[in-house]
């Protein structure tokens, strides 16, 4: 110990190791990779620009057709949005049911998930389009089994508030949204359940100890934290849903992006440019969705991780 | 015994805030509490001591119904916890009614359990706004005052992850106090803290005790128990071994188990 101090003191200051100026590790592989990728990229650009089969002017003309834009807005965007609303809302509800103490609710949620995850979406949409055959007298809202009760009591007439034409429900975009939404709810239920289970038990206990009702505990404390886990896979699901709207043709719905493009393609015998046009649409929307997902993740990630949160929140700003 | 039990059902308002009789609790055939009796008067500070696994934390959690008890009765402020006693027959309370009973009891956890998605002040405001329906403005003013009181008035907009363990625990105390509880339960409030942060949290609890808050504190901090507690209760293997004034129980323990526990604790402190 003593000798150590002595030797150190004996050394002149200039002999003690100073700033490190080392030769960094060389990465020759990176330069090779850059060269290879540069060549491949050049080939791709060359292909895109010079290959006549792309027929870019036709691609953009097809993309600009009013029935295509209409199909894109209604059949693709609107159906994606509505189906995801049904899916996320239904999924969270199913997850809460599945995790509840009530065995009946938990069982119903399990059965729903089992059924709708088992049926391929294309077949589900096809079935939705034909479901009207089950309800040839229409779908009535009122007292269940009213005709039996009326028969027993010896009355006449009916106890129905209003009747919808089943063939109007199970057709077109409505059938599409019902089919895609229910199917999505089954998948979202599992995502939401994983999110809820990811929240530390101490969180619910702390909220309960403050006297919060179980509904408030879920809405104010558990779900906002579960969203951190729920949002990224939900972004995935939304993007998948966007593309699954091209299955609407099974209902059948023709007011949808890909069907409209295809019909232009078959009219002019141009299939490849049509595929390019469709890809460009889907690429564009997916890009926008990914930006949206970034902001959602940032919102629900507040208070977690190292990133500094927005400096000052406006007075009175609540939680979720 | 039956006469005494009958008398207890119709408890008059007394100095006694917590009255627990013969509390039993099992987890999967493992009896954790084997008939605990405990009385806490208003303004009193009771420290629960004992080796880990002795049932201290479980008993604390039974008081505010985070655990349901298998036997015995717990009254807080004259109200039977978790059940409605109608002529000797007990009816389990609905979740809503249990939530209402919990509002009177603040709890502070070993792991703080602050809501990580809310800032410090939002954590404190949450229960008054959501449970009591207090206005946001009014609640913000009170929350600010509570955070000032625990020495964190300047960290209102910080998220829990940006606070040290000691600061988080002080926010958690402010959050519990925001409901203006009659009774505060502390479950090893300093066990998850770095040694140099223990003091700041104990100081806040000590201040609360001086202001006359009724408290039950599960702790391993012997000097805190000696200084602050009116009564210390030594538990082991699900029973109360010994209870009394801190000087008596800690200075002159009557039971072998208490002696062994205290000796072991002292030797740990003497030879770290």
């Amino acid at each position: 110990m003593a000798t150590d101090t002595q030797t150190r003191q004996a050394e002149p200051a200039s002999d003690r190791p100073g700033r490190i100026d080392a030769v960094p590790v060389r990465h020759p592989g990176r330069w090779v990779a850059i060269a290879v990728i540069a060549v491949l990229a050049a080939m791709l650009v060359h292909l895109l620009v010079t290959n006549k089969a792309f027929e870019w002017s036709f691609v953009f003309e097809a993309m600009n057709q009013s029935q295509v834009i209409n199909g894109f807005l209604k059949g693709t965007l609107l159906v994606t949005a509505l189906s995801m609303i049904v899916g996320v809302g239904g999924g969270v509800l199913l997850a809460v049911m599945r995790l509840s103490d009530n065995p009946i609710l938990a069982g119903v949620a399990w059965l729903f998930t089992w059924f709708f995850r088992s049926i391929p979406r294309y077949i589900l949409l096809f079935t939705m389009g034909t479901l009207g055959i089950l309800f040839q007298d229409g779908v009535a809202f009122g007292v269940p089994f009213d005709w039996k009760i009326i028969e027993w009591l010896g009355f006449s007439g009916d106890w129905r508030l209003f009747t919808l034409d089943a063939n109007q429900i199970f057709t077109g975009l409505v059938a599409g949204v019902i089919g895609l939404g229910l199917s999505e709810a089954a998948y979202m239920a599992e995502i939401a359940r994983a999110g809820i289970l990811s929240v530390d038990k101490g969180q619910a206990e702390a909220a309960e100890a403050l006297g919060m009702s179980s509904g408030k505990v879920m809405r104010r404390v558990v779900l906002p934290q579960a969203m951190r886990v729920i949002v990224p896979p939900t972004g995935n699901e939304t993007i998948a849903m966007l593309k699954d709207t091209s299955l609407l043709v099974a209902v059948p719905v023709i007011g949808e992006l890909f069907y409209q493009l295809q019909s232009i393609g078959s009219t002019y015998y141009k299939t490849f440019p049509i595929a390019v046009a469709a890809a460009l649409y889907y690429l564009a929307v997916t890009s926008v969705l990914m930006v949206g997902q970034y902001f959602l993740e940032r919102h629900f990630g507040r208070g977690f991780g190292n990133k500094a949160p927005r400096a000052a929140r406006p007075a009175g700003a609540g939680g979720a | 015994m039956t006469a005494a039990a009958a008398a207890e059902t119709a408890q008059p308002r007394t100095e006694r805030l917590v009255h627990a009789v013969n509390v039993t609790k099992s987890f999967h055939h493992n009896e954790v509490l084997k008939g605990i009796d405990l009385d806490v008067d208003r303004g009193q500070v009771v420290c629960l001591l004992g080796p880990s696994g002795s049932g201290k934390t479980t008993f604390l959690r039974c008081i505010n119904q985070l655990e349901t008890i298998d036997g015995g009765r717990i009254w807080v402020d004259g109200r039977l916890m978790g059940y409605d006693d109608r002529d000797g027959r007990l009816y389990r309370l609905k979740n809503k009614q249990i939530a209402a009973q919990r509002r009177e009891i603040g709890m502070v956890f070993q792991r703080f359990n602050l809501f990580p998605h809310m800032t410090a002040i939002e954590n404190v405001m949450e229960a008054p706004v959501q449970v009591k329906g207090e206005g946001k403005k009014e609640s913000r003013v009170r929350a600010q005052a509570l955070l000032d009181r625990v020495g964190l008035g300047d960290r209102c907009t910080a998220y829990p992850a940006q606070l040290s363990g000691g600061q988080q625990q002080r926010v958690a105390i402010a959050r519990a106090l925001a409901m203006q509880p009659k009774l505060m339960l502390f479950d090893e409030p300093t066990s998850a803290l770095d040694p140099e942060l223990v003091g700041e949290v104990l100081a806040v609890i000590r201040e609360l005790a001086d202001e006359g808050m009724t408290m039950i504190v599960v702790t391993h901090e012997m000097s805190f128990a000696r200084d602050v507690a009116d009564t210390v209760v030594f538990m082991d293997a699900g029973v109360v071994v010994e209870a009394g004034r801190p000087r008596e129980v800690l200075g002159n323990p009557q039971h072998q188990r208490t002696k062994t526990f205290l000796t072991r604790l002292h030797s740990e402190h003497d030879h770290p």
Side-chain angles (χ1 to χ4, degrees):
Chain A
M1 196 69 180
T3 46
D4 198 44
T5 334
Q6 273 168 3
T7 31
R8 249 192 224 167
Q9 276 171 349
E11 275 177 78
S14 59
D15 282 1
R16 303 182 67 201
R19 254 186 85 84
I20 292 174
D21 183 23
V23 178
V25 176
R26 303 291 181 202
H27 298 285
R30 286 188 191 170
W31 293 102
V32 175
I34 286 171
V36 171
I37 288 163
V39 170
L40 287 175
M43 288 167 73
L44 180 65
V45 171
H46 180 256
L47 177 82
L48 288 172
V49 173
T50 62
N51 197 310
K52 294 279 183 292
F54 277 101
E55 296 187 56
W56 288 108
S57 59
F58 182 81
V59 167
F60 293 120
E61 203 179 325
M63 284 175 79
N64 248 328
Q65 294 305 304
S66 65
Q67 72 266 35
V68 171
I69 291 171
N70 240 331
F72 168 69
L73 291 177
K74 272 171 78 182
T76 305
L77 283 189
L78 184 67
V79 170
T80 301
L82 293 178
S83 303
M84 284 312 290
I85 289 169
V86 174
V88 172
V92 170
L93 184 70
L94 284 166
V96 172
M97 283 167 67
R98 182 84 186 274
L99 294 171
S100 80
D101 294 332
N102 185 332
I104 306 295
L105 290 182
V108 168
W110 180 86
L111 200 71
F112 182 98
T113 311
W114 165 77
F115 182 81
F116 281 97
R117 284 205 305 181
S118 305
I119 314 275
R121 280 198 178 161
Y122 187 84
I123 294 168
L124 181 63
L125 288 173
F126 176 81
T127 314
M128 278 295 156
T130 59
L131 223 51
I133 198 165
L134 288 181
F135 311 103
Q136 296 194 350
D137 299 332
V139 180
F141 293 82
V143 180
F145 298 109
D146 60 337
W147 69 95
K148 275 284 175 205
I149 300 170
I150 287 166
E151 193 186 293
W152 282 337
L153 297 176
F155 294 153
S156 61
D158 67 50
W159 294 340
R160 296 172 189 204
L161 296 172
F162 57 94
T163 304
L164 298 177
D165 183 355
N167 289 317
Q168 268 175 7
I169 300 174
F170 297 108
T171 188
L173 293 178
V174 179
V177 168
I178 294 174
L180 289 173
L182 293 181
S183 166
E184 188 56 44
Y187 289 96
M188 281 306 303
E190 294 295 281
I191 293 172
R193 189 163 68 99
I196 291 169
L197 289 176
S198 77
V199 179
D200 179 30
K201 280 226 158 46
Q203 289 292 310
E205 279 183 357
E208 282 167 11
L210 287 167
M212 289 168 90
S213 66
S214 42
K216 280 250 164 76
V217 172
M218 187 53 84
R219 276 201 314 282
R220 297 286 308 172
V221 175
V222 176
L223 278 182
Q225 293 180 63
M227 289 306 276
R228 233 175 95 249
V229 173
I230 293 174
V231 167
T234 304
N236 244 359
E237 291 293 311
T238 310
I239 289 167
M241 175 63 76
L242 177 80
K243 295 176 292 188
D244 280 353
T245 53
S246 59
L247 301 175
L248 283 179
V249 70
V251 174
V253 169
I254 58 166
E256 173 270 322
L257 177 69
F258 191 58
Y259 185 91
Q260 290 301 327
L261 280 170
Q262 256 189 323
S263 71
I264 293 174
S266 48
T267 310
Y268 296 95
Y269 300 105
K270 288 180 194 215
T271 46
F272 180 67
I274 284 312
V276 174
L280 287 179
Y281 261 114
Y282 289 120
L283 275 171
V285 185
T286 304
S287 310
V288 172
L289 287 176
M290 285 170 77
V291 172
Q293 184 179 342
Y294 166 79
F295 283 106
L296 270 180
E297 279 180 27
R298 204 177 68 165
H299 173 75
F300 287 111
R302 69 193 190 280
F304 293 89
N306 301 321
K307 268 184 280 175
R310 285 153 299 163
R313 311 188 61 197
Chain B
M1 192 64 206
T2 38
E8 247 128 36
T9 16
Q11 259 207 347
R13 195 191 137 95
T14 58
E15 276 309 298
R16 202 159 52 179
L17 186 63
V18 180
H19 180 47
V21 183
N22 197 25
V23 173
T24 57
K25 169 74 186 171
S26 300
F27 291 112
H28 307 290
H29 308 296
N30 174 26
E31 199 169 33
V32 187
L33 300 179
K34 299 170 184 164
I36 303 286
D37 296 327
L38 181 75
D39 285 328
V40 182
D41 287 345
R42 285 171 210 279
Q44 235 196 351
V45 178
V46 173
C47 282
L48 296 182
L49 312 176
S52 51
S54 57
K56 316 178 293 283
T57 292
T58 305
F59 179 64
L60 202 68
R61 292 164 58 85
C62 287
I63 294 175
N64 75 343
Q65 302 288 304
L66 285 181
E67 308 286 354
T68 50
I69 59 178
D70 302 331
R73 306 277 190 276
I74 299 174
W75 286 270
V76 174
D77 202 15
R79 280 161 63 193
L80 183 61
M81 296 303 287
Y83 298 92
D84 188 11
D85 189 337
R86 293 184 215 151
D87 304 326
R89 183 103 182 90
L90 290 190
Y91 293 83
R92 180 87 183 129
L93 292 182
K94 289 177 189 156
N95 287 340
K96 243 184 207 165
Q97 296 165 304
I98 289 175
Q101 289 190 331
R102 284 181 180 138
R103 273 162 222 174
E104 319 251 284
I105 304 171
M107 184 153 187
V108 174
F109 297 85
Q110 184 179 354
R111 305 265 350 148
F112 329 136
N113 296 354
L114 287 181
F115 306 133
H117 57 301
M118 299 179 195
T119 60
I121 200 163
E122 285 169 352
N123 263 281
V124 180
M125 291 164 61
E126 181 66 13
V129 172
Q130 294 297 325
V131 177
K132 279 190 177 165
E134 211 175 276
K136 278 217 169 151
K137 260 190 196 159
E138 183 194 343
S139 156
R140 184 172 287 272
V141 172
R142 284 211 310 116
Q144 177 71 55
L146 282 166
L147 286 173
D148 285 338
R149 188 165 150 193
V150 299
L152 289 169
D154 54 339
R155 301 307 309 273
C156 287
T157 55
Y159 283 93
Q162 298 168 314
L163 300 172
S164 75
Q167 292 174 327
Q168 288 190 52
Q169 194 61 298
R170 286 188 279 154
V171 174
I173 293 171
R175 177 176 71 176
L177 290 177
M179 289 297 282
Q180 295 163 320
K182 291 179 181 145
L183 170 69
M184 284 285 283
L185 307 174
F186 290 87
D187 181 14
E188 303 198 25
T190 58
S191 295
L193 296 176
D194 291 337
E196 77 269 22
L197 302 178
V198 168
E200 60 187 67
V201 172
L202 289 184
V204 169
I205 301 175
R206 199 181 295 250
E207 216 169 279
L208 268 179
D210 291 344
E211 287 165 21
M213 175 64 80
T214 314
M215 307 197 279
I216 303 177
V217 186
V218 173
T219 186
H220 292 296
E221 299 288 335
M222 288 305 141
S223 58
F224 172 81
R226 194 174 296 122
D227 294 351
V228 179
D230 298 299
T231 306
V232 295
V233 175
F234 178 73
M235 283 176 70
D236 190 23
V239 295
V240 172
V241 177
E242 202 165 337
R245 292 176 168 282
R247 209 177 312 148
E248 288 155 14
V249 176
L250 299 175
N252 182 23
Q254 299 301 306
H255 288 72
Q256 193 51 45
R257 274 189 286 182
T258 321
K259 283 178 192 166
T260 318
F261 175 75
L262 291 173
T263 321
R264 210 174 335 131
L265 214 65
H266 284 146
S267 63
E268 272 168 27
H269 275 275
D270 294 343
H271 311 286

